[in-house]
Amino acid sequence: MSITYIFIYLQLLDLLTTFVGFKMGAAEASPFIRILMHLGPGFGVAASKVLALGLGGLCVYTRKKHIIRWITYWYAGLIIWNLMVMLAAPGPQL
């Protein structure tokens, strides 16, 4: 599978795990995305994904796929972080 497809897949996973984390009471850690979230949490996270995909497209256009490979490792770690935050969340009170 091409690293570009993995990058796109990880963007989708980050979007979904972030939304699930919000539902569980987690907060956004990135100051940049928190600024974007002043227009709404959905907008802020979606805008960051559009920006990330745009930058990824620029890397493909300029033939800098090695940068996408580095960023893909970052996003894989970020998704693991999101999952750990969800596991540590208190969950619903019964």
Side-chain angles (χ1 to χ4, degrees):
M1 183 181 285
S2 170
I3 194 71
T4 306
Y5 291 128
I6 295 170
F7 173 75
I8 294 168
Y9 178 69
L10 289 176
Q11 293 301 313
L12 178 61
L13 279 176
D14 181 41
L15 179 75
L16 295 174
T17 57
T18 300
F19 282 147
V20 170
F22 286 164
K23 289 281 187 187
M24 297 180 77
E28 179 57 52
S30 167
F32 174 70
I33 297 174
R34 273 187 277 162
I35 291 170
L36 293 175
M37 287 175 55
H38 286 294
L39 298 172
F43 176 81
V45 177
S48 73
K49 295 295 116 194
V50 169
L51 181 62
L53 290 171
L55 290 173
L58 180 64
C59 289
V60 170
Y61 179 75
T62 58
R63 301 177 196 270
K64 305 283 185 184
K65 281 196 168 185
H66 64 280
I67 295 174
I68 293 178
R69 185 175 303 112
W70 295 341
I71 295 169
T72 297
Y73 287 119
W74 167 261
Y75 274 104
L78 185 63
I79 291 163
I80 292 169
W81 173 262
N82 287 348
L83 293 172
M84 295 300 292
V85 167
M86 285 187 272
L87 286 171
Q93 301 296 321
L94 299 176

